[in-house]
Coordinates of all heavy atoms in Angstrom, one line a residue:
L1393 N 140.5 -65.3 206.7 CA 141.0 -64.8 205.4 C 140.4 -65.5 204.3 O 140.2 -66.7 204.3 CB 142.5 -64.9 205.4 CG 143.3 -64.1 206.4 CD1 144.8 -64.5 206.3 CD2 143.2 -62.6 206.2
M1394 N 140.1 -64.8 203.3 CA 139.6 -65.4 202.1 C 140.7 -65.8 201.1 O 141.6 -65.1 201.0 CB 138.6 -64.5 201.3 CG 137.4 -64.2 202.1 SD 136.3 -63.0 201.3 CE 136.5 -63.2 199.6
D1395 N 140.6 -67.0 200.5 CA 141.5 -67.4 199.5 C 141.0 -66.9 198.2 O 140.0 -67.4 197.6 CB 141.7 -68.9 199.5 CG 142.5 -69.4 200.7 OD1 143.4 -68.7 201.1 OD2 142.1 -70.5 201.1
H1396 N 141.6 -65.8 197.7 CA 141.2 -65.2 196.5 C 142.5 -64.7 195.8 O 143.3 -64.2 196.4 CB 140.3 -64.0 196.8 CG 140.0 -63.1 195.6 ND1 139.2 -63.5 194.6 CD2 140.6 -61.9 195.2 CE1 139.2 -62.6 193.6 NE2 140.0 -61.6 194.0
S1397 N 142.5 -65.0 194.5 CA 143.7 -64.6 193.8 C 143.4 -63.9 192.5 O 142.5 -64.5 191.7 CB 144.6 -65.8 193.5 OG 145.7 -65.4 192.7
S1398 N 144.0 -62.8 192.2 CA 143.8 -62.2 190.9 C 145.1 -62.4 190.1 O 145.3 -61.8 189.1 CB 143.5 -60.7 191.0 OG 144.4 -60.1 191.8
L1399 N 146.0 -63.2 190.6 CA 147.2 -63.6 189.9 C 146.9 -64.5 188.8 O 146.1 -65.4 188.9 CB 148.2 -64.2 190.8 CG 148.9 -63.3 191.8 CD1 149.8 -64.2 192.8 CD2 149.8 -62.3 191.1
P1400 N 147.4 -64.3 187.6 CA 147.1 -65.2 186.5 C 147.7 -66.6 186.7 O 148.6 -66.7 187.4 CB 147.7 -64.5 185.3 CG 148.7 -63.5 185.8 CD 148.3 -63.2 187.2
P1401 N 147.1 -67.6 186.0 CA 147.6 -68.9 186.2 C 149.1 -69.1 185.8 O 149.7 -69.9 186.4 CB 146.7 -69.7 185.2 CG 145.4 -68.9 185.1 CD 145.9 -67.5 185.2
S1402 N 149.6 -68.2 184.9 CA 151.0 -68.3 184.6 C 151.9 -68.0 185.7 O 153.0 -68.6 185.9 CB 151.3 -67.3 183.4 OG 151.1 -66.0 183.8
V1403 N 151.4 -67.1 186.7 CA 152.2 -66.8 187.9 C 152.2 -68.0 188.8 O 153.2 -68.4 189.4 CB 151.7 -65.6 188.6 CG1 152.5 -65.3 189.9 CG2 151.9 -64.3 187.7
H1404 N 151.1 -68.7 188.9 CA 151.0 -69.9 189.7 C 151.9 -71.0 189.1 O 152.5 -71.7 189.9 CB 149.5 -70.4 189.8 CG 148.7 -69.6 190.9 ND1 148.1 -70.2 191.9 CD2 148.5 -68.3 191.0 CE1 147.4 -69.3 192.6 NE2 147.7 -68.2 192.1
D1405 N 151.9 -71.1 187.8 CA 152.8 -72.0 187.2 C 154.2 -71.8 187.5 O 155.0 -72.7 187.7 CB 152.6 -72.0 185.7 CG 151.2 -72.6 185.3 OD1 150.5 -73.2 186.1 OD2 150.8 -72.3 184.1
R1406 N 154.6 -70.5 187.5 CA 156.0 -70.1 187.8 C 156.3 -70.4 189.3 O 157.4 -70.9 189.6 CB 156.3 -68.7 187.5 CG 156.7 -68.4 186.1 CD 157.2 -67.0 185.9 NE 156.0 -66.1 186.0 CZ 156.0 -64.9 186.4 NH1 157.1 -64.3 186.8 NH2 154.9 -64.2 186.5
I1407 N 155.4 -70.2 190.2 CA 155.6 -70.5 191.6 C 155.8 -72.0 191.7 O 156.8 -72.4 192.4 CB 154.4 -70.0 192.4 CG1 154.4 -68.5 192.5 CG2 154.4 -70.6 193.8 CD1 153.1 -67.9 193.1
R1408 N 155.0 -72.8 191.1 CA 155.1 -74.2 191.1 C 156.5 -74.7 190.6 O 157.1 -75.5 191.2 CB 154.0 -74.9 190.4 CG 154.0 -76.4 190.4 CD 152.7 -77.0 189.7 NE 151.5 -76.4 190.2 CZ 150.9 -76.9 191.3 NH1 151.4 -77.9 192.0 NH2 149.7 -76.4 191.7
A1409 N 156.9 -74.1 189.5 CA 158.2 -74.5 188.9 C 159.3 -74.1 189.8 O 160.3 -74.9 189.9 CB 158.3 -73.8 187.5
V1410 N 159.3 -72.9 190.3 CA 160.5 -72.5 191.2 C 160.5 -73.4 192.4 O 161.6 -73.9 192.8 CB 160.3 -71.0 191.6 CG1 161.3 -70.7 192.7 CG2 160.5 -70.1 190.4
A1411 N 159.4 -73.7 193.1 CA 159.4 -74.5 194.3 C 159.8 -76.0 193.9 O 160.6 -76.6 194.6 CB 158.0 -74.5 194.9
A1412 N 159.3 -76.5 192.8 CA 159.6 -77.9 192.5 C 161.0 -78.1 192.1 O 161.6 -79.2 192.2 CB 158.7 -78.3 191.3
A1413 N 161.7 -77.0 191.7 CA 163.1 -77.1 191.2 C 164.1 -77.3 192.4 O 165.2 -77.6 192.2 CB 163.5 -75.9 190.4
H1414 N 163.6 -77.0 193.6 CA 164.5 -77.1 194.8 C 164.8 -78.5 195.1 O 163.8 -79.3 195.2 CB 163.9 -76.3 195.9 CG 164.2 -74.8 195.9 ND1 163.4 -74.0 195.1 CD2 165.1 -74.0 196.4 CE1 163.8 -72.8 195.2 NE2 164.9 -72.8 196.0
A1415 N 166.0 -78.8 195.4 CA 166.4 -80.2 195.9 C 165.6 -80.5 197.1 O 165.5 -79.7 198.1 CB 167.9 -80.2 196.1
G1416 N 165.0 -81.7 197.2 CA 164.3 -82.1 198.4 C 162.8 -82.0 198.2 O 162.0 -82.6 199.0
V1417 N 162.3 -81.1 197.3 CA 160.9 -81.0 197.1 C 160.4 -82.1 196.1 O 160.9 -82.2 195.0 CB 160.5 -79.6 196.5 CG1 159.0 -79.5 196.2 CG2 160.9 -78.5 197.4
T1418 N 159.5 -82.9 196.6 CA 159.0 -84.0 195.8 C 157.7 -83.7 195.1 O 157.4 -84.3 194.0 CB 158.8 -85.3 196.6 OG1 157.9 -85.1 197.6 CG2 160.2 -85.8 197.2
R1419 N 157.0 -82.7 195.6 CA 155.7 -82.3 195.0 C 155.3 -81.0 195.6 O 155.5 -80.8 196.8 CB 154.7 -83.4 195.3 CG 153.3 -83.1 194.7 CD 152.4 -84.3 195.0 NE 151.0 -83.9 194.8 CZ 150.0 -84.4 195.4 NH1 150.1 -85.3 196.4 NH2 148.8 -83.9 195.2
V1420 N 154.6 -80.2 194.8 CA 153.9 -79.0 195.3 C 152.5 -79.4 195.4 O 151.8 -79.8 194.5 CB 154.1 -77.8 194.3 CG1 153.3 -76.6 194.8 CG2 155.5 -77.4 194.2
R1421 N 152.0 -79.4 196.7 CA 150.7 -79.9 197.0 C 149.6 -78.8 196.8 O 148.5 -79.0 196.3 CB 150.6 -80.4 198.4 CG 149.3 -80.9 198.8 CD 149.0 -82.3 199.1 NE 150.0 -83.1 199.7 CZ 149.9 -83.6 201.0 NH1 148.9 -83.3 201.8 NH2 150.9 -84.4 201.4
F1422 N 149.9 -77.5 197.2 CA 148.9 -76.5 197.0 C 149.6 -75.1 196.9 O 150.7 -74.9 197.4 CB 147.9 -76.5 198.1 CG 148.4 -76.1 199.5 CD1 148.6 -74.8 199.9 CD2 148.6 -77.2 200.4 CE1 149.0 -74.5 201.2 CE2 149.1 -76.9 201.7 CZ 149.3 -75.6 202.1
I1423 N 148.9 -74.2 196.3 CA 149.3 -72.8 196.1 C 148.1 -72.0 196.4 O 147.1 -72.1 195.7 CB 149.9 -72.5 194.7 CG1 151.1 -73.3 194.4 CG2 150.1 -71.0 194.5 CD1 151.6 -73.2 193.0
K1424 N 148.2 -71.1 197.4 CA 147.1 -70.2 197.7 C 147.6 -68.8 197.8 O 148.6 -68.6 198.5 CB 146.4 -70.6 199.0 CG 145.7 -71.9 199.0 CD 145.1 -72.2 200.3 CE 144.5 -73.6 200.2 NZ 143.9 -74.0 201.5
T1425 N 147.1 -67.9 197.1 CA 147.5 -66.5 197.1 C 146.3 -65.6 197.4 O 145.2 -65.9 197.1 CB 148.2 -66.0 195.8 OG1 147.3 -66.2 194.7 CG2 149.4 -66.8 195.5
R1426 N 146.7 -64.4 198.0 CA 145.6 -63.4 198.3 C 146.3 -62.1 198.3 O 147.5 -62.0 198.8 CB 144.8 -63.7 199.5 CG 145.6 -63.8 200.8 CD 144.7 -64.4 201.9 NE 145.5 -64.8 203.0 CZ 146.0 -66.0 203.2 NH1 145.9 -66.9 202.3 NH2 146.7 -66.3 204.3
P1427 N 145.6 -61.0 197.9 CA 146.2 -59.7 197.9 C 146.4 -59.2 199.3 O 145.6 -59.4 200.2 CB 145.2 -58.9 197.1 CG 143.9 -59.6 197.1 CD 144.3 -61.1 197.3
T1428 N 147.5 -58.5 199.5 CA 147.8 -57.8 200.7 C 148.5 -56.5 200.4 O 149.7 -56.5 200.1 CB 148.8 -58.6 201.6 OG1 150.0 -58.8 200.9 CG2 148.2 -59.9 202.0
G1429 N 147.8 -55.4 200.5 CA 148.4 -54.1 200.2 C 148.9 -54.0 198.8 O 148.1 -54.2 197.9
D1430 N 150.2 -53.8 198.6 CA 150.8 -53.7 197.3 C 151.5 -55.0 196.8 O 152.3 -55.0 196.0 CB 151.7 -52.5 197.2 CG 152.7 -52.4 198.3 OD1 152.4 -53.0 199.4 OD2 153.7 -51.8 198.2
G1431 N 151.1 -56.1 197.4 CA 151.7 -57.4 197.0 C 150.7 -58.5 197.2 O 149.5 -58.3 197.4
Y1432 N 151.2 -59.7 197.3 CA 150.4 -60.9 197.5 C 151.1 -61.8 198.6 O 152.3 -61.9 198.7 CB 150.3 -61.8 196.2 CG 149.4 -61.1 195.2 CD1 149.9 -60.2 194.3 CD2 148.1 -61.5 195.2 CE1 149.0 -59.6 193.4 CE2 147.2 -60.9 194.3 CZ 147.7 -59.9 193.4 OH 146.8 -59.3 192.5
W1433 N 150.2 -62.4 199.4 CA 150.6 -63.4 200.4 C 150.5 -64.7 199.7 O 149.5 -65.0 199.1 CB 149.7 -63.3 201.6 CG 150.0 -64.3 202.7 CD1 149.8 -65.6 202.6 CD2 150.6 -64.0 203.9 NE1 150.2 -66.2 203.8 CE2 150.7 -65.2 204.6 CE3 151.0 -62.8 204.5 CZ2 151.3 -65.3 205.9 CZ3 151.6 -62.9 205.8 CH2 151.7 -64.1 206.5
L1434 N 151.5 -65.6 199.9 CA 151.5 -66.9 199.3 C 151.6 -67.9 200.4 O 152.4 -67.9 201.3 CB 152.7 -67.1 198.4 CG 153.0 -68.5 197.9 CD1 151.9 -69.1 197.0 CD2 154.4 -68.5 197.2
D1435 N 150.6 -68.9 200.4 CA 150.7 -70.1 201.2 C 151.0 -71.2 200.3 O 150.3 -71.4 199.3 CB 149.3 -70.4 201.9 CG 149.1 -69.4 203.1 OD1 150.0 -69.1 203.8 OD2 147.9 -69.0 203.2
L1436 N 152.1 -71.9 200.6 CA 152.6 -72.9 199.7 C 152.8 -74.2 200.4 O 153.4 -74.2 201.5 CB 153.9 -72.5 199.0 CG 154.6 -73.5 198.1 CD1 153.8 -73.6 196.8 CD2 156.0 -73.0 197.8
G1437 N 152.2 -75.3 199.9 CA 152.4 -76.6 200.6 C 153.3 -77.5 199.7 O 153.0 -77.7 198.5
I1438 N 154.4 -77.9 200.3 CA 155.3 -78.8 199.5 C 155.4 -80.1 200.2 O 155.3 -80.2 201.4 CB 156.7 -78.1 199.4 CG1 157.4 -77.9 200.8 CG2 156.7 -76.9 198.5 CD1 158.8 -77.5 200.7
E1439 N 155.7 -81.1 199.5 CA 156.0 -82.4 200.0 C 157.5 -82.7 200.0 O 158.2 -82.3 199.0 CB 155.3 -83.6 199.2 CG 153.8 -83.6 199.5 CD 153.2 -84.8 198.8 OE1 153.9 -85.7 198.3 OE2 151.9 -84.8 198.8
V1440 N 158.0 -83.4 201.0 CA 159.3 -83.9 201.0 C 159.3 -85.4 201.2 O 158.2 -86.0 201.5 CB 160.2 -83.3 202.2 CG1 160.3 -81.7 202.0 CG2 159.6 -83.6 203.5
A1441 N 160.4 -86.1 200.9 CA 160.4 -87.5 201.0 C 160.1 -88.0 202.4 O 160.5 -87.4 203.4 CB 161.8 -88.0 200.6
P1442 N 159.4 -89.1 202.5 CA 159.1 -89.7 203.8 C 160.5 -89.9 204.5 O 161.5 -90.3 203.9 CB 158.4 -91.0 203.6 CG 157.8 -90.8 202.2 CD 158.8 -89.9 201.5
G1443 N 160.5 -89.7 205.8 CA 161.8 -89.9 206.5 C 162.8 -88.7 206.5 O 163.8 -88.8 207.1
T1444 N 162.4 -87.7 205.8 CA 163.3 -86.5 205.8 C 163.3 -85.9 207.2 O 162.3 -85.7 207.9 CB 162.8 -85.4 204.8 OG1 162.7 -86.0 203.5 CG2 163.6 -84.2 204.8
R1445 N 164.5 -85.7 207.7 CA 164.7 -85.1 209.1 C 164.0 -83.7 209.1 O 164.1 -83.0 208.2 CB 166.1 -85.1 209.5 CG 166.8 -86.5 209.6 CD 168.2 -86.4 210.0 NE 168.4 -85.8 211.3 CZ 168.4 -86.4 212.4 NH1 168.2 -87.7 212.5 NH2 168.6 -85.8 213.6
V1446 N 163.5 -83.4 210.3 CA 162.9 -82.1 210.5 C 163.8 -80.9 210.1 O 163.4 -80.0 209.5 CB 162.4 -82.0 212.0 CG1 161.9 -80.5 212.2 CG2 161.3 -83.0 212.2
E1447 N 165.0 -81.0 210.6 CA 166.0 -79.9 210.3 C 166.2 -79.7 208.8 O 166.3 -78.6 208.3 CB 167.3 -80.2 210.9 CG 167.3 -80.3 212.4 CD 166.9 -81.6 213.0 OE1 166.7 -82.6 212.2 OE2 166.7 -81.7 214.2
R1448 N 166.2 -80.9 208.1 CA 166.4 -80.8 206.6 C 165.1 -80.2 205.9 O 165.2 -79.4 205.0 CB 166.7 -82.2 206.0 CG 166.8 -82.2 204.5 CD 168.1 -81.5 204.0 NE 168.1 -81.5 202.6 CZ 168.2 -80.4 201.8 NH1 168.4 -79.2 202.4 NH2 168.2 -80.5 200.5
A1449 N 164.0 -80.7 206.4 CA 162.7 -80.2 205.9 C 162.6 -78.7 206.1 O 162.2 -77.9 205.2 CB 161.5 -80.9 206.5
E1450 N 163.0 -78.2 207.3 CA 163.0 -76.7 207.5 C 163.9 -76.0 206.6 O 163.6 -74.9 206.1 CB 163.3 -76.5 209.0 CG 162.2 -76.9 209.9 CD 162.5 -76.6 211.4 OE1 163.7 -76.3 211.7 OE2 161.7 -76.8 212.2
A1451 N 165.1 -76.5 206.4 CA 166.0 -75.9 205.4 C 165.5 -75.9 204.0 O 165.6 -74.8 203.3 CB 167.4 -76.7 205.5
I1452 N 164.8 -76.9 203.6 CA 164.2 -76.9 202.2 C 163.2 -75.9 202.1 O 163.2 -75.1 201.2 CB 163.6 -78.3 201.9 CG1 164.7 -79.4 201.8 CG2 162.8 -78.3 200.7 CD1 164.2 -80.8 201.8
A1453 N 162.3 -75.8 203.2 CA 161.3 -74.8 203.2 C 161.8 -73.3 203.1 O 161.4 -72.5 202.4 CB 160.4 -74.9 204.4
G1454 N 162.9 -73.1 203.9 CA 163.6 -71.8 203.9 C 164.2 -71.5 202.5 O 164.1 -70.3 202.0
D1455 N 164.8 -72.5 201.9 CA 165.4 -72.2 200.5 C 164.3 -71.9 199.5 O 164.4 -71.0 198.7 CB 166.1 -73.5 200.1 CG 167.4 -73.7 200.8 OD1 167.9 -72.8 201.6 OD2 168.0 -74.8 200.7
V1456 N 163.1 -72.6 199.6 CA 162.0 -72.4 198.7 C 161.5 -71.0 198.9 O 161.3 -70.2 197.9 CB 160.9 -73.4 198.9 CG1 159.6 -73.0 198.1 CG2 161.4 -74.8 198.4
K1457 N 161.3 -70.6 200.2 CA 160.8 -69.2 200.5 C 161.7 -68.2 199.9 O 161.3 -67.2 199.3 CB 160.6 -69.1 202.0 CG 160.2 -67.7 202.4 CD 160.0 -67.7 203.9 CE 159.6 -66.3 204.4 NZ 159.3 -66.3 205.8
D1458 N 163.0 -68.3 200.2 CA 164.0 -67.3 199.8 C 164.0 -67.2 198.3 O 164.1 -66.1 197.7 CB 165.4 -67.6 200.3 CG 165.5 -67.5 201.8 OD1 164.6 -66.9 202.4 OD2 166.5 -68.0 202.4
G1459 N 164.0 -68.4 197.6 CA 164.0 -68.4 196.1 C 162.8 -67.7 195.5 O 162.9 -66.9 194.6
L1460 N 161.6 -67.9 196.1 CA 160.4 -67.3 195.6 C 160.4 -65.8 195.8 O 160.1 -65.0 195.0 CB 159.2 -67.9 196.3 CG 158.8 -69.3 195.8 CD1 157.8 -69.9 196.7 CD2 158.3 -69.2 194.3
L1461 N 160.9 -65.3 197.0 CA 160.9 -63.9 197.3 C 161.9 -63.2 196.4 O 161.7 -62.0 196.1 CB 161.2 -63.7 198.8 CG 160.0 -64.0 199.7 CD1 160.5 -64.0 201.2 CD2 158.9 -63.0 199.5
R1462 N 163.0 -63.8 196.1 CA 164.0 -63.2 195.2 C 163.5 -63.1 193.8 O 163.9 -62.2 193.1 CB 165.3 -64.1 195.2 CG 166.3 -63.8 196.3 CD 167.7 -64.4 196.1 NE 167.6 -65.8 195.6 CZ 167.6 -66.8 196.4 NH1 167.7 -66.7 197.7 NH2 167.6 -68.1 196.0
R1463 N 162.7 -64.0 193.4 CA 162.3 -64.1 192.0 C 161.0 -63.3 191.7 O 160.7 -63.2 190.5 CB 162.2 -65.5 191.5 CG 163.5 -66.2 191.4 CD 163.3 -67.7 191.0 NE 164.5 -68.4 190.8 CZ 165.3 -68.9 191.8 NH1 165.0 -68.7 193.0 NH2 166.4 -69.5 191.5
S1464 N 160.3 -62.9 192.7 CA 159.0 -62.2 192.4 C 158.8 -61.0 193.2 O 158.8 -61.1 194.5 CB 157.9 -63.2 192.7 OG 156.6 -62.6 192.4
R1465 N 158.7 -59.9 192.6 CA 158.4 -58.6 193.3 C 156.9 -58.6 193.7 O 156.5 -57.7 194.5 CB 158.7 -57.5 192.4 CG 160.2 -57.3 192.1 CD 160.5 -56.0 191.4 NE 161.9 -55.9 191.2 CZ 162.5 -56.0 190.0 NH1 161.7 -56.3 188.9 NH2 163.8 -55.9 189.8
Q1466 N 156.1 -59.5 193.1 CA 154.6 -59.5 193.4 C 154.4 -60.1 194.8 O 153.3 -59.8 195.4 CB 153.9 -60.3 192.4 CG 153.9 -59.6 191.0 CD 153.2 -60.5 190.0 OE1 153.7 -61.6 189.7 NE2 152.1 -60.0 189.4
L1467 N 155.3 -60.9 195.3 CA 155.0 -61.6 196.6 C 155.6 -60.7 197.7 O 156.8 -60.4 197.8 CB 155.7 -62.9 196.6 CG 155.2 -63.9 195.6 CD1 156.1 -65.2 195.6 CD2 153.8 -64.2 195.8
S1468 N 154.7 -60.4 198.7 CA 155.1 -59.6 199.8 C 155.4 -60.5 201.0 O 156.1 -60.1 202.0 CB 154.1 -58.5 200.2 OG 152.8 -59.1 200.4
A1469 N 154.8 -61.7 201.0 CA 155.0 -62.6 202.1 C 154.8 -64.1 201.6 O 154.0 -64.3 200.7 CB 154.0 -62.4 203.3
V1470 N 155.6 -65.0 202.1 CA 155.5 -66.4 201.7 C 155.6 -67.2 202.9 O 156.4 -67.1 203.8 CB 156.7 -66.7 200.8 CG1 156.7 -68.2 200.5 CG2 156.7 -65.9 199.5
E1471 N 154.6 -68.1 203.0 CA 154.6 -69.1 204.1 C 154.6 -70.5 203.5 O 153.8 -70.8 202.6 CB 153.3 -69.0 204.9 CG 153.2 -69.2 206.3 CD 154.4 -68.7 207.2 OE1 154.7 -67.5 207.3 OE2 155.0 -69.6 207.8
V1472 N 155.7 -71.3 203.8 CA 155.8 -72.6 203.2 C 155.5 -73.7 204.2 O 156.1 -73.7 205.3 CB 157.3 -72.8 202.7 CG1 157.4 -74.2 202.1 CG2 157.6 -71.7 201.6
Y1473 N 154.6 -74.6 203.9 CA 154.2 -75.7 204.8 C 154.8 -76.9 204.2 O 154.6 -77.3 203.1 CB 152.7 -75.8 204.8 CG 152.0 -74.5 205.3 CD1 151.6 -73.5 204.4 CD2 151.8 -74.3 206.7 CE1 151.1 -72.3 204.9 CE2 151.3 -73.1 207.1 CZ 150.9 -72.1 206.2 OH 150.3 -71.0 206.7
V1474 N 155.5 -77.7 205.1 CA 156.1 -78.9 204.7 C 155.2 -80.1 205.1 O 154.9 -80.2 206.2 CB 157.5 -79.1 205.3 CG1 158.2 -80.4 204.9 CG2 158.4 -77.9 204.9
L1475 N 154.9 -80.9 204.1 CA 154.1 -82.1 204.3 C 154.8 -83.3 203.9 O 155.6 -83.3 202.9 CB 152.8 -81.9 203.4 CG 152.1 -80.6 203.6 CD1 151.2 -80.3 202.4 CD2 151.3 -80.5 204.9
P1476 N 154.6 -84.4 204.7 CA 155.3 -85.6 204.3 C 154.7 -86.2 203.0 O 153.5 -86.2 202.9 CB 155.1 -86.5 205.5 CG 153.9 -86.0 206.1 CD 153.8 -84.5 205.9
G1477 N 155.6 -86.7 202.2 CA 155.1 -87.4 201.0 C 154.7 -88.8 201.4 O 155.0 -89.3 202.5
A1478 N 153.8 -89.4 200.6 CA 153.3 -90.7 200.8 C 154.4 -91.7 200.6 O 155.2 -91.6 199.7 CB 152.1 -91.0 199.9
A1479 N 154.5 -92.7 201.5 CA 155.5 -93.8 201.3 C 155.3 -94.5 200.0 O 154.1 -94.7 199.6 CB 155.3 -94.8 202.5
G1480 N 156.4 -94.7 199.3 CA 156.3 -95.4 198.0 C 155.9 -94.5 196.8 O 155.8 -94.9 195.7
S1481 N 155.8 -93.1 197.1 CA 155.5 -92.2 196.0 C 156.7 -91.7 195.3 O 157.8 -91.8 195.7 CB 154.6 -91.1 196.5 OG 155.3 -90.3 197.4

């Protein structure tokens, strides 16, 4: 798949803001979007605090995904990748 986005930077800014506002998200590492039919597929990488339990990290990712899908009609699919934050960050 090619990473190509015709979404304006303002939409990426909103995606970043919505994801970063969720409790437990320490940083948004990457946003990749690509057109799919009548919407966009979003791959989103978020960081959580080092030592966050897997169950909690999965819950955070699910909350972020649900929040983004509720707030944007442009997104047809969202995949959230949880990455550990660097120790001391």
Side-chain angles (χ1 to χ4, degrees):
L1393 296 172
M1394 292 176 34
D1395 288 325
H1396 169 75
S1397 177
S1398 56
L1399 288 173
S1402 62
V1403 175
H1404 280 234
D1405 292 343
R1406 274 189 291 150
I1407 289 169
R1408 183 176 304 279
V1410 168
H1414 280 80
V1417 175
T1418 59
R1419 178 178 167 213
V1420 175
R1421 177 115 36 112
F1422 65 83
I1423 298 171
K1424 296 178 182 178
T1425 58
R1426 58 190 167 272
T1428 60
D1430 46 336
Y1432 286 85
W1433 180 286
L1434 168 64
D1435 287 318
L1436 178 70
I1438 60 170
E1439 287 185 8
V1440 297
T1444 301
R1445 296 181 60 90
V1446 172
E1447 296 84 3
R1448 177 70 183 127
E1450 288 177 351
I1452 292 167
D1455 289 346
V1456 170
K1457 177 179 180 173
D1458 292 345
L1460 287 166
L1461 287 170
R1462 275 195 312 271
R1463 287 176 178 81
S1464 178
R1465 291 187 182 110
Q1466 292 174 298
L1467 298 176
S1468 56
V1470 174
E1471 216 37 66
V1472 179
Y1473 301 90
V1474 179
L1475 309 161
S1481 62

